Amino acid sequence: MRALLCTAWGGPETLTLGELPDPTPGPGEVVIRARAAGVNFADTLMIQGKYQEKPAFPFAAGLEAAGEIVAVGQGVTHLRVGQRVLAALDHGGYAELVKARASDSFAIPDAMDFVTAAGFPTTYGTAHGALVWRAGLKAGETLVVHGAAGGVGLATVEVGKAMGAHVIGTAGGADKIAVAREHGADAVIDYKSEDLRARLKELTGGRGADVYFDPVGGEVFEASLRAIAWEGRIVIIGFAGGGVPQIPANILLVKNCSAVGFYWGSYRRQAPDRLGAQFADLFRWFEQGKLKPHVSHRLPLGRAAEAFELLQSRKATGKVVVEI
């Protein structure tokens, strides 16, 4: 099968089109004829050898894909050949055939196309899990979503609205905050031109926000901690801004607030039973029109290196998807 190969650690320019053996499903696995694959920041780390998983060379990166099932392994009873599915992967999405655990694969709604489905699992799974499992977001609370124009940020804006929160989106630049507003943010902050901490205080009447979703880190995290409500929660998703913050524990104590980490991928192994209910919620909201996934760029497999560069240069909004 054709695949985008990583044969040595490096940047997107080191990736090459080549061939890998066709996969066969083992017990509890399925093989999917991939029609599209989502691009994630973690993919850019994986090909550099900076991700927690380091597959053996040669391998195809790609943490999510969508297509039709062409084979099922022993013990798989809830999925069948020919079914349209999306899947979360350890790697391997940038290939014509993808092997996935059946527990990580979900039949998609009839109204969801493959490009939308391919960019759905990681972003919406992260958004839902962070807000429901870790933050315990309640209807009527104020949620701040940092990096609100990115793939996971936009998903979190939409999930927060579906849960009944008042959502403030932050992003850098007028075009990006416009995208966040289009996807449901009640208020927006451009942290390139506005004082983030001051605007957060202003928009919350001095009280601070109840929940922060933070994939940025650095100074953005520090501003959030200084503008958090009593018993507020900050969910740490990542450090796209480059800085890993050091948390002053005295602020957690004084405000009775909490800072918790969240890595959605770990739940696929530690608590896979949660994912079925999670995607049932997400697909229901999609069918109700509450979730409107935004794909800013679609590129063919041969130009997947450009897709990585779009993420690294922060030129994309929403998701970037590679069509197989």
Side-chain angles (χ1 to χ4, degrees):
M1 66 172 180
R2 198 166 57 115
L4 186 72
L5 300 181
C6 179
T7 57
W9 304 128
E13 71 283 353
T14 65
L15 301 174
T16 57
L17 277 177
E19 296 285 329
L20 287 175
D22 290 357
T24 56
E29 296 178 335
V30 298
V31 172
I32 302 164
R33 184 171 302 284
R35 302 299 182 181
V39 183
N40 293 281
F41 183 70
D43 293 317
T44 69
L45 299 178
M46 182 177 286
I47 64 172
Q48 296 177 71
K50 297 179 179 179
Y51 194 59
Q52 50 259 48
E53 183 183 351
K54 295 179 175 62
F57 299 126
F59 70 90
L63 298 173
E64 54 188 358
E68 304 103 345
I69 293 179
V70 295
V72 297
Q74 182 181 357
V76 177
T77 57
H78 68 290
L79 297 170
R80 64 183 187 276
V81 172
Q83 206 162 16
R84 300 169 70 250
V85 296
L86 58 73
L89 311 166
D90 294 331
H91 63 274
Y94 306 129
E96 292 175 321
L97 294 171
V98 172
K99 184 165 68 173
R101 288 186 289 272
S103 59
D104 290 335
S105 307
F106 302 92
I108 61 177
D110 291 341
M112 183 178 283
D113 61 74
F114 288 132
V115 168
T116 299
F120 197 89
T122 303
T123 53
Y124 283 92
T126 297
H128 180 281
L131 300 185
V132 176
W133 301 337
R134 301 298 279 157
L137 179 69
K138 304 177 185 67
E141 288 191 314
T142 297
L143 164 68
V144 174
V145 180
H146 294 309
V152 71
L154 278 181
T156 307
V157 169
E158 293 183 342
V159 170
K161 290 300 296 179
M163 293 177 66
H166 177 82
V167 179
I168 300 170
T170 79
D175 55 338
K176 291 188 176 182
I177 62 170
V179 172
R181 192 182 288 280
E182 289 168 7
H183 283 257
D186 298 291
V188 292
I189 301 173
D190 181 351
Y191 48 62
K192 280 189 175 180
S193 61
E194 300 180 271
D195 184 311
L196 180 57
R197 180 181 174 187
R199 283 288 285 147
L200 287 169
K201 287 283 193 178
E202 180 184 345
L203 290 171
T204 59
R207 175 179 173 274
D210 300 292
V211 174
Y212 285 89
F213 178 93
D214 184 13
V216 179
E219 295 179 357
V220 167
F221 178 91
E222 293 170 12
S224 302
L225 195 58
R226 303 287 177 176
I228 193 170
W230 183 80
E231 286 199 329
R233 292 86 76 199
I234 299 178
V235 186
I236 302 165
I237 306 299
F239 313 105
V244 178
Q246 302 303 304
I247 303 171
N250 61 312
I251 295 180
L252 303 182
L253 184 153
V254 171
K255 292 195 173 184
N256 278 16
C257 63
S258 58
V260 298
F262 182 65
Y263 167 46
W264 178 71
S266 67
Y267 283 79
R268 293 167 44 217
R269 288 188 174 86
Q270 300 293 334
D273 53 307
R274 293 196 190 185
L275 270 64
Q278 177 181 58
F279 278 96
D281 283 347
L282 291 168
F283 289 155
R284 184 178 69 254
W285 289 336
F286 175 82
E287 292 177 313
Q288 293 171 348
K290 294 179 179 179
L291 308 182
K292 299 177 180 178
H294 173 62
V295 177
S296 65
H297 295 81
R298 302 161 56 144
L299 296 167
L301 183 61
R303 294 174 58 195
E306 295 177 45
F308 283 45
E309 290 164 0
L310 284 167
L311 255 63
Q312 290 177 319
S313 62
R314 299 192 183 184
K315 293 178 180 177
T317 56
K319 288 292 291 191
V320 177
V321 171
V322 170
E323 296 184 271
I324 311 298

